[in-house]
Amino acid sequence: MGTLNTKSRNSELYKTLGLLDKPQLLEDASEKAPEIVSLVASVLEKNIHKNDKLLKKSKTKDGVTIFHGSKAPTLNIRQYMERVFKYSKCSPSCFVVAYIYMDKFIQSTNCYLTSLNAHRLLIASVLVAAKFVEDVTYNNAHFAKVGGVSISEMNKLELKLLCSLDYKLHVTVETFDQYCLQLEKAAGSGSERRTCHNERAMQTCGLKGSWLKKDKSKCTPKFAGYSCGAI
């Protein structure tokens, strides 16, 4: 999926979202990330703000996962995503797939997307998406440095995400296109979207799938060729 089919019925949408742009290192500070990266950041920002406010107001205790930190990082999620895009050199489509993984993880766990867990979940999702859809990508050590975590933690975050998704990482073209349309609509709308699931979802109206399963204490890779550790 690193290279999208330009003959797709949604080729115009891909072009508008910058999904056909080739990945490049943003050396010049004036260069901007593709539109899709900005859209994903906008949607994540809205949900993080809403959930942080909801938890504080209701005094609800969020489910704690390996992705939670004791305090919110210095960089907000938009700045963090732009950093990840700049130094990971992943294709724009990789960030859509990463967003889908984030949505599936939130749906399958008893937690909210907040300022305490969004950054670690994002870097883990981009790492997994890059390994699955890109022809060539950096190893865990590089992603750990980009994400501001240790190699050991990066490996643990990756494995946790894979187990939560039951190692089912394939995203169909139909699902990919629908998420693109949802992102474009959500980021361009001033009103909040309706949820397809419940308050704990990322509110992306993500598609339900049989691959969504709860984490298991014993989880092993279900297909060969994927490395859960640093390369």
Side-chain angles (χ1 to χ4, degrees), residues 50-201:
K50 181 174 182 179
N51 289 333
D52 281 347
K53 186 177 180 180
L54 173 65
L55 291 173
K56 183 177 181 179
K57 183 177 180 180
S58 64
K59 296 182 179 181
T60 301
K61 291 185 178 181
D62 189 18
V64 179
T65 69
I66 192 175
F67 298 98
H68 282 72
S70 58
K71 61 180 180 180
T74 303
L75 296 179
N76 60 41
I77 197 64
R78 179 177 294 276
Q79 295 171 323
Y80 190 74
M81 178 168 286
E82 290 175 348
R83 171 182 170 80
V84 173
F85 176 79
K86 179 177 181 179
Y87 295 109
S88 69
K89 299 182 71 173
C90 292
S91 63
S93 60
C94 182
F95 286 83
V96 177
V97 176
Y99 177 74
I100 294 173
Y101 292 164
M102 292 178 71
D103 189 24
K104 299 300 184 183
F105 174 82
I106 293 297
Q107 291 178 34
S108 64
T109 57
N110 190 35
C111 68
Y112 295 82
L113 183 73
T114 70
S115 57
L116 297 181
N117 62 16
H119 296 69
R120 286 181 174 81
L121 182 55
L122 174 62
I123 190 64
S125 296
V126 173
L127 168 64
V128 172
K131 286 187 176 184
F132 192 73
V133 306
E134 304 286 11
D135 295 326
V136 179
T137 187
Y138 286 111
N139 60 20
N140 287 33
H142 180 82
F143 274 93
K145 185 175 182 180
V146 172
V149 298
S150 67
I151 299 177
S152 175
E153 183 176 11
M154 186 74 261
N155 294 341
K156 292 177 181 178
L157 294 175
E158 177 188 19
L159 183 58
K160 181 65 175 181
L161 179 61
L162 287 169
C163 288
S164 298
L165 300 179
D166 197 31
Y167 286 86
K168 296 178 181 179
L169 307 180
H170 177 66
V171 176
T172 65
V173 173
E174 291 74 20
T175 298
F176 183 89
D177 287 352
Q178 183 162 346
Y179 269 89
C180 285
L181 290 170
Q182 291 168 359
L183 284 166
E184 182 183 45
K185 181 179 180 180
S189 174
S191 60
E192 294 292 339
R193 290 167 298 154
R194 295 180 179 178
T195 61
C196 285
H197 303 284
N198 53 52
E199 286 291 343
R200 295 186 184 279

